[in-house]
Amino acid sequence: MTANVNEELQLLRAEIAAAAARLIAEDGADYNTAKRKAARQILGDTQPPLNLLPDNAQIEAEVRLYQSLFHADTQPARLFRLRTLAVDIMEGLQKFHPYLSGSVLNGTAGPHDDIHLQLFADSAKEVEIFLLNRNLQIDISETPHFKGPRYGMVETVSFMWHKEGVHAALYELDDLRGAVKTRGDGKLARADIAAVRALLVNSTHPPSP
């Protein structure tokens, strides 16, 4: 591959990442959907080669940049609210070893984002009964296992908490051993309640009055 071709690929990848970031920040699209839509916007119906599509880390960086440019006056307060609510929920679910994941953890949460948790219990039914006994209306769906596709899907319960959506993926206790690993870029893939409290304490963007 010549230097010029490689440079063109990098520019296209960056353009797709920026377009995907806008879809995530403005429309609440998930990363995979945003990536596909952004590629169609820029390339039309041409099927892009896999090496042309940006990875999630590049898109996440573009989401941060987009928010800093267009939502700097509202996004920090939104993030603070969601992290505060996450701590509140995690305190109530401590018996299930709760971890925070997703955009509320990595700091890119915007107006369309929900709180994503990972819980670890002897059985999914135990968590469901616990939530129902607290008069929470739950919906049940499935989420890909954080260890990868060969581990199948895990049951996920969704409910509302102080007018915010919460999605809790339900894992077996044995999965806790893999829960503390960092992402490929060295950042936390999930955080326990102590780590989320530390994020709040160390926040450089307190909520707007």
Side-chain angles (χ1 to χ4, degrees), residues 113-189:
D113 285 283
D114 293 334
I115 297 168
H116 289 265
L117 301 176
Q118 296 172 355
L119 307 181
F120 301 82
D122 290 323
S123 72
K125 188 62 65 178
E126 180 184 359
V127 180
E128 293 170 18
I129 293 172
F130 182 89
L131 294 172
L132 289 171
N133 284 341
R134 279 147 185 80
N135 299 316
L136 291 171
Q137 182 178 340
I138 63 173
D139 294 315
I140 298 175
S141 58
E142 291 185 325
T143 299
H145 200 295
F146 66 74
K147 290 183 178 179
R150 70 189 182 95
Y151 289 89
M153 307 290 281
V154 296
E155 187 172 304
T156 300
V157 292
S158 300
F159 55 92
M160 298 299 294
W161 187 260
H162 292 276
K163 299 182 179 180
E164 299 291 352
V166 181
H167 310 283
L170 310 181
Y171 291 91
E172 297 178 359
L173 283 174
D174 287 346
D175 289 320
L176 264 173
R177 286 196 292 268
V180 295
K181 294 181 180 178
T182 57
R183 304 188 320 191
D185 57 7
K187 297 178 181 178
L188 286 176

Side-chain angles (χ1 to χ4, degrees), residues 40-86:
R40 283 200 301 271
Q41 287 176 3
I42 293 165
L43 302 173
D45 294 329
T46 303
Q47 184 67 29
L50 290 178
N51 66 341
L52 179 59
L53 294 177
D55 59 21
N56 286 353
Q58 184 175 3
I59 295 174
E60 182 182 313
E62 288 293 332
V63 173
R64 294 181 192 280
L65 177 60
Y66 188 94
Q67 289 174 334
S68 70
L69 292 173
F70 299 105
H71 299 294
D73 56 338
T74 58
Q75 192 269 339
R78 170 69 178 161
L79 177 62
F80 192 94
R81 167 179 164 78
L82 291 175
R83 284 177 170 174
T84 301
L85 287 176

